[in-house]
Amino acid sequence: MKQEKRSRITYEKILDAAITEFGTKSYETASLNTVCSENNISKGLLYHHFKSKDDLYLHCVKACFQALTEFMKMNRKTPKSVQDGLQQLLQQRQQFFKENPCYGNIFFNTVLQPPVHLREELREIRRDFDDFCHSAYVELLGMLKLRECITREMALEYFILLQEMFNGYFQKKSYKNADFHTMIQEHEMNLSQILNIMLYGIALQPPANSLYLAHLYRSAQRSSREPSPQQL
């Protein structure tokens, strides 16, 4: 066997072992000692292929996001409606994590509990996945008749901002000794509801006097900008 092929096999063996380690623990509790001892890998060999724990972790995250993005691209279908499209995206993600539970743990730890000192690197690794999601959102927004004052770019920015705020809420919640897998299930269920509310609102219809109140508000604003007789 050629040296290059042996080196590749060793690299993949270390990476697979690390995916299992980071895929069953958090970044903080994962251990390179465990990766080595439980998989008959010498530390010298590990450090020959990966510079540090951070380097190995980033390679695992990259493998996760690449596999997830490819899976979602391959299984994407033309949505029948906006709601169907959103459900399709979430269901595809859930199906991928059901088939690849270690990747699921890595993904949600990256999204909800990212190591602070690696945030920039993680953001770059996520770029292709985020771009795929953004293109899917743009397609779904194209199926909606937006309000006159709302552009597609504004709607997309709000869409993304809402998700980031929602993830931020769960980042805080994740430090309150909650079971991580239960939290993930709650995250996915609530995210679907939040996105639905963003698209269709929370009120069945505006109150009968809402237009009149808006007219009064605009009139008051104009009046406040006009000089009074005493000022003339």
Side-chain angles (χ1 to χ4, degrees), residues 162 192-202:
L162 187 70
S192 176
Q193 295 173 347
I194 288 291
L195 294 179
N196 183 275
I197 289 173
M198 187 213 78
L199 290 172
Y200 303 111
I202 60 174

Side-chain angles (χ1 to χ4, degrees), residues 107-164:
F107 176 88
F108 283 102
N109 265 304
T110 300
V111 171
L112 302 178
Q113 297 176 315
V116 176
H117 66 291
L118 294 177
R119 280 184 175 172
E120 289 303 317
E121 291 89 340
L122 294 172
R123 186 177 292 112
E124 184 61 32
I125 289 174
R126 285 181 51 176
R127 186 179 298 277
D128 287 344
F129 173 76
D130 289 339
D131 288 345
F132 167 76
C133 292
H134 294 176
S135 66
Y137 295 154
V138 168
E139 179 184 4
L140 295 178
L141 288 171
M143 300 173 69
L144 289 173
K145 183 177 181 180
L146 301 177
R147 290 162 49 192
E148 291 183 4
C149 60
I150 303 296
T151 65
R152 192 172 297 182
E153 290 74 21
M154 290 169 60
L156 177 61
E157 184 176 357
Y158 182 57
F159 212 93
I160 297 167
L161 177 62
L162 187 70
Q163 286 192 81
E164 292 301 319

